[in-house]
């Protein structure tokens, strides 16, 4: 299999027969213990719900949050497991790793996220336990999305043990930055342009930069797609695209909040598709389209609408954002990715810079501008208070100040992504994780029994 | 690649590097401008919803139409993008075009449909703007379905620019015929047997007839499926089949209307499956089944239940319709399609005549009969008024008259399909659209970078 | 094609050109007649719903059960047709049969189940008709799941006619055992660990045992998967995994019941994934993972949570169940399946013993323990009564007694599976059903036109 000395200074073992089972069993056991100590049903999942209804004068079961959010949760769940999973099957011989490791780390991540986010957001002050229900399930899926984005940059180049470590730290960092952005800074980010996409994108890019592989071209035979692997990837693309309105509206306010977030996202995504096809066709001889663009850049509109979807951005405002994102993201695949690999030494397998990092950052900016330009005439006094949650200690915040805080939140997400990526990248560089040689990247044979 | 003179009188260029980007960018820009001028949030998506609730004495957010219709919307959305998209991946080398162009034209079509349908149905008389919410999103998806059906007849033989033109006109024609059928004639058609399937089916068939390709056999090497392309198509089939109850119930009346429409469609589709398998097996030596039938004819029951699903057609009535449709549609694939190609010069790639046009027409007839035989004893006075919306100027309409109007609606759909197809087919025959030579049809190489 | 004498004592014909159409047409006709005689809309699907609302003082359409259960129904529907269907596409040359026959028998089974379950559960005492709505649709899908599990054991070795017979009897047996378990014994089993998985699993295993094929190794060339067939199977796996929370909560009590069932299942499944990956990696040289385990054992947590999901099993209790199931099920694939084939002569194509029978049985045990240890301090008096439906003749039942009855229910499910399998296996052994020779098993050529 070639000369090891040319490809890497150290011979590597990809044997994970001890490390992967150990990580899975030990961490799952830890989850059970921590859940036993900390996690309980909340009012709406507990069998005391009937008494709770009477105390709160709730007259119908339909007021249980389950009925407001569970359909959206299921859509989000599909995005996480089928959407991200199948989007990463596009490589000709790394489809098992794409969908399989995505499955593994998401299943671990949601458990750890329930704990981490629970400590920050759902802690019962009386008994010190975390009370969970459907909203926590959605938030856990969201949190994991950040880690799956980061996986996209490293696809085919890391071991499953590394991915587990990346997820452990990713979820932890996410919970902290989310707490700072949403609670301390009081920025709004229902669809996570900042907390999920900006953070996750830069987190993954920095890790990929630190794990730079100078001889990656030696596994060139496994790079790229084949006809049917591109079709499998389209399954991922379409489920992400179709359910993104649910993603951005899943934890928005009941009523008009969820309704508006879904509508804005729907429009933004539609516009992204047209400009993606336009730029893709324009860039190639004969106007031929590139599946990579269709699979990815069409989704950029959903990313960029993650902060502003619940705001009164207007239908045409949503279209404008989508219009720009399709162009920007396709341009990224055409121009920026090659440049980044050549000059910045960032090998970004799935192009998450173009699909998540840039559009996420743009979404944060759009959110700040939309917030800063909000007005009582557009929202109504009550609508303004509800949308931006100007209550309690934030009752006197102005929209201008809110805009500034949105921008501050974006910076926090960016810094956590960069800093967290540097930290975790350093850890993952240790020669103990079973990652493959440069010449064996993108090959399922490494970690799977392939028939 | 053979002698051009034998295949076509004019040498063709399939270069769409200018035309496709131009169409996408210009039309998307036009959408933004028109949305800016015309489209606004409706009461239920606007931040003033809280005030609106108080004015209307609505006590719970769950009364926002979002919670009645959004789960159905998402199912419809999956049908449009994954259902239609993957159903069209069955060809061995045109799967990119099937799912990719479906994606492009649906994303354009929903925007244009929001405008066109908005002008006819959701225009605010006070300020002249279109007010949109989740029901508009569903209707836009429905409208696009008509164009995607038409694409099925032309699959593999047209350029993406032609498809965009076909969608532009298709949506426009749809909005007009829908307005005539639903508003002027006051026919009921919640699942669109008439407005969507009959119109879309004949629209596509006439276009395909006008674009007849005498030398299509020269691309025979690309016709037909391979093992895995048939499996990709089954993804489309199953998502269409499973979610058709949501399609037919998505815009039905709240309460029993949606509930009954879903149940009737569920039953009808189940019966279609059995008769499809029966006829398919009966038609081949050894009783071998044909994937084409399973992929398509099993869906005919959903098409034919599009008008009557919300009526009291009874559970066994639904089964009878499904029983007939499975037979009729499979028979169409076996007998009618070859005849139509040979004698009528209609090359119908996906067999939309068998899946949409015929069952849609049948569905219109079933709807007319079911309406004409409705009675107060079955519906109750109130149920009859609600189901057929016998209010306002239609308060005195009898069920017999309603039946006649249903039949009139069906004729309108048919005429719009035939006439619209002739018009648009003529336009698409112009030698400027970049469509392929007869010998290069059904080949993704023409418009895609294939690795 | 080899020497018939060595493979089987009787030459077989796989011609189903008469038998399959006959079965489909006759049975479908019977369904129409029986539906005509027996099946009517229930209060919530009937056009008299408006009057019903007034009589019952229901003030909002949202109280129609459609809005509580339809989103869950659609998820269940996806599990039945795409989940089970695509999970069975993993064989390299039997994918058509996997997804296609699954489609056929499920479409028949839901009709027959509506009748059978209707006679036992939804019979109107006044007029002797069956009144149906969305809950019946869910239950019909559930009932069919039992038969599809049984199909998994026989995949590739039976004819579609045999499958129809297996479904006819399977649904019948299911309805009876379900009535005994839920109504007479008054055990709770919302997600069907006992009624669906234990019954369906042993039903299929016994049939497979009776239909033992000594020369099955002669079709070895068709056994096992190829790269892309494993990816198609992952579509099935993921949709089952993602929507299992909906499966276990679909017919649970409104409010906290559905909410808690979804949450518990979500947690249990996540834990299953980690232990499945752990054991799979541990079992192979170099720690390589096996797709068979990932496709199947990850789902065992959902099966085992079928009874206890709606109970107050606690979040960490759910994780423990999932932890054990992932290990148990993977262990089954590694150790038990080969032993069962060798020593017990049970050829279990999909390994349903590991995915359904064992975890289902375990789920029944978990349910019995959880019920027996329930207490008023945990549930509240009202919660206890609601969760276990301690009303009417069961008002005085203690939790200990409930636990014993749960265990009794499990025994009934097991006995029906074993006994029913023996009966139906005997019928299916008759040489009239068109099943393939041992050397032609697992080959789509037998029953499909393969291009």
């Amino acid at each position: 299999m070639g000369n090891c000395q040319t490809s890497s200074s150290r011979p590597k073992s990809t044997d994970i027969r001890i490390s992967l089972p150990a990580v899975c069993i030990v961490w799952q056991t830890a989850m059970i213990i921590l859940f036993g100590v900390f996690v309980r049903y909340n009012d709406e999942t507990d069998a005391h719900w009937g008494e709770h209804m009477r105390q709160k004068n709730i007259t119908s079961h339909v007021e249980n949050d389950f009925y407001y959010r569970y359909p959206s949760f299921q859509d989000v769940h599909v995005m996480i497991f089928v959407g991200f999973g199948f989007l990463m099957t596009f490589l000709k011989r790394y489809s098992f790793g794409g969908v399989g490791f995505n499955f593994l780390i998401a299943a671990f991540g949601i458990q750890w996220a329930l704990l981490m986010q629970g400590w920050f957001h759902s802690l019962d002050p009386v008994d010190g336990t975390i009370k969970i229900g459907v909203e926590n399930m959605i938030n856990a899926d969201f949190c994991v999305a950040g880690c799956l984005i980061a996986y996209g940059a490293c696809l085919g180049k890391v071991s499953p043990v590394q991915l587990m470590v990346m997820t452990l730290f990713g979820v932890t960092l996410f919970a902290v930055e989310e707490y700072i952005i949403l609670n301390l800074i009081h920025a709004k980010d229902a669809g996570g342009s900042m907390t999920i996409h900006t953070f996750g994108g830069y987190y993954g890019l920095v890790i990929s930069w630190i794990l730079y592989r100078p001889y990656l071209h030696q596994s060139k035979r496994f790079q790229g797609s084949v006809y049917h692997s591109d079709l499998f990837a389209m399954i991922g693309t379409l489920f992400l695209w179709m359910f993104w309105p649910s993603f951005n509206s899943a934890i928005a306010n009941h009523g008009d909040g969820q309704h508006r977030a879904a509508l804005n996202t729907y429009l933004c995504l539609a516009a992204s598709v047209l400009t993606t096809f336009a730029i893709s066709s324009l860039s190639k001889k004969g106007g031929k389209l590139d599946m990579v663009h269709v699979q990815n850049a069409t989704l950029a509109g959903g990313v960029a609408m993650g902060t502003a979807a619940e705001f009164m951005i207007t239908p045409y405002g949503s279209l404008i954002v989508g219009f720009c994102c399709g162009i920007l993201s396709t341009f990224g695949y055409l121009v920026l990715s090659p440049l980044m690999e050549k000059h910045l030494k960032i090998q970004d397998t799935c192009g998450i810079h173009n699909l998540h990092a840039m559009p996420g950052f743009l979404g944060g900016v759009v959110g700040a501008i939309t917030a800063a330009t909000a007005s009582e005439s557009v929202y109504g006094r009550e609508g303004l208070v509800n949308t931006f949650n100007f209550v309690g200690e934030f009752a006197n915040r102005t929209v201008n100040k809110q805009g500034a805080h949105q921008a501050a939140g974006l910076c926090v997400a960016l810094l956590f992504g960069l800093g967290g990526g540097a930290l975790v990248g350093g850890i993952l560089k240790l020669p103990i994780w079973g990652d493959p040689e440069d010449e064996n990247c993108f090959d399922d044979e490494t970690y799977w029994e392939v028939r």
Side-chain angles (χ1 to χ4, degrees), chain A:
Chain A
M1 269 284 185
N3 184 345
C4 276
Q5 282 183 290
T6 64
S7 69
S8 169
S9 54
R10 56 187 160 98
K12 287 181 177 182
S13 162
T14 57
D15 191 329
I16 50 169
R17 193 171 181 181
I18 304 303
S19 56
L20 183 62
V23 164
C24 289
I25 297 288
V26 172
W27 293 8
Q28 185 59 56
T29 307
M31 288 301 120
I32 291 172
I33 295 167
L34 289 168
F35 269 66
V37 176
F38 287 105
V39 180
R40 301 290 177 268
Y41 299 121
N42 72 10
D43 287 335
E44 297 182 313
T45 40
D46 193 282
H48 288 83
W49 162 250
E51 295 166 28
H52 178 81
M53 283 174 77
R54 271 197 307 283
Q55 282 162 21
K56 301 271 179 182
N57 265 326
I58 299 168
T59 54
S60 167
H61 284 304
V62 85
E63 295 294 336
N64 192 304
D65 204 30
F66 183 77
Y67 302 103
Y68 285 96
R69 304 213 184 271
Y70 188 71
S72 306
F73 160 71
Q74 273 299 6
D75 293 349
V76 171
H77 216 41
V78 172
M79 292 174 71
I80 298 298
F81 289 89
V82 162
F84 279 103
F86 272 89
L87 188 59
M88 290 198 272
T89 60
F90 74 99
L91 288 167
K92 68 180 79 157
R93 292 301 287 180
Y94 206 75
S95 304
F96 287 6
V99 69
F101 296 150
N102 182 80
F103 192 16
L104 173 65
I105 63 178
F108 164 66
I110 53 180
Q111 297 178 59
W112 182 227
L114 283 172
L115 284 164
M116 282 301 304
Q117 295 182 312
W119 282 316
F120 282 115
H121 296 285
S122 306
L123 208 62
D124 186 324
V126 178
D127 61 5
T129 60
I130 298 164
K131 298 289 171 64
I132 62 173
V134 67
E135 194 167 337
N136 301 73
M137 291 157 71
I138 297 171
N139 275 311
D141 273 34
F142 276 8
C143 180
V144 161
C147 300
L148 301 181
I149 291 164
Y151 178 27
C154 306
L155 183 71
K157 302 176 296 179
V158 289
S159 77
V161 183
Q162 283 178 309
L163 289 171
M164 291 291 282
V165 174
M166 208 163 114
T167 306
L168 179 77
F169 283 96
V171 167
T172 311
L173 291 160
F174 182 98
V176 177
E177 60 114 27
E178 185 193 39
Y179 178 73
I180 295 171
I181 294 170
L182 302 188
N183 294 52
L184 302 187
I185 297 177
H186 195 74
K188 298 288 286 180
D189 196 19
S193 286
M194 303 185 284
T195 55
I196 299 170
H197 298 286
T198 305
F199 164 74
Y202 288 103
Y203 178 63
L205 288 168
V206 173
I207 291 174
S208 190
W209 175 68
I210 292 178
L211 300 181
Y212 178 69
R213 290 169 173 275
Y215 303 101
L216 194 58
H217 57 85
Q218 292 184 346
S219 59
K220 199 169 180 183
R221 68 198 179 285
F222 295 123
Q223 291 181 33
S225 60
V226 290
Y227 197 65
H228 280 173
S229 72
D230 269 325
L231 282 173
F232 281 113
M234 276 304 286
I235 297 172
T237 298
L238 288 174
F239 276 101
L240 287 169
W241 192 91
M242 296 180 303
F243 288 166
W244 218 296
S246 301
F247 193 94
N248 286 349
S249 66
I251 56 165
N253 289 334
H254 289 177
D256 63 295
Q258 288 194 278
H259 203 156
R260 188 166 58 250
L263 176 61
N264 287 332
T265 310
Y266 171 87
L267 292 171
C268 188
L269 284 161
S272 282
V273 175
L274 270 82
T275 50
T276 296
F277 272 80
I279 305 303
S280 183
S281 175
L282 202 56
S283 69
K284 292 272 166 55
K285 198 162 148 291
K288 290 194 182 189
L289 296 157
D290 191 327
M291 261 297 183
V292 171
H293 306 155
V294 174
Q295 283 159 7
N296 292 282
T298 51
L299 301 168
V303 174
M305 196 44 84
T307 302
E310 59 178 337
F311 301 161
M312 294 285 286
I313 190 171
T314 74
Y316 76 93
S318 304
L319 290 181
I320 291 172
V321 174
F323 187 97
C324 299
C325 281
I327 293 173
L328 182 73
S329 185
T330 313
F331 176 79
Y333 280 96
L334 286 165
V335 177
L336 296 184
S337 284
L339 287 180
M340 283 170 65
E341 174 148 7
K342 196 168 170 197
H343 298 299
L344 299 182
K345 310 287 182 202
I346 298 176
Q347 293 155 331
D348 178 5
T349 314
C350 295
I352 63 161
H353 181 253
N354 315 309
L355 173 48
H356 297 282
M358 274 199 304
F361 192 88
L362 180 68
V365 173
V366 169
I369 294 169
T370 316
T373 57
S375 69
E376 264 189 51
S377 65
V378 171
Y379 288 74
R381 178 65 205 154
E382 185 183 336
L384 203 61
V385 168
N386 287 341
T387 303
F388 295 100
N389 201 21
F390 286 158
V391 292
E393 57 177 311
F394 307 103
N396 295 317
R397 186 177 278 191
T398 63
V399 292
N400 286 329
K401 205 172 161 199
Q402 180 66 27
H405 279 70
Q406 294 286 139
L410 180 57
C411 296
V412 170
L414 187 63
L415 289 174
F416 264 80
L418 296 173
L423 171 72
V424 176
I427 295 169
L428 295 182
K429 219 174 158 59
L430 297 176
I432 57 171
W433 305 115
D435 51 315
E437 301 276 354
D438 290 7
E439 66 188 12
N440 294 324
C441 286
F442 312 119
D443 183 6
D444 271 333
E445 292 274 359
T446 313
Y447 301 114
W448 298 86
E449 291 280 327
V450 181
R451 272 160 287 259

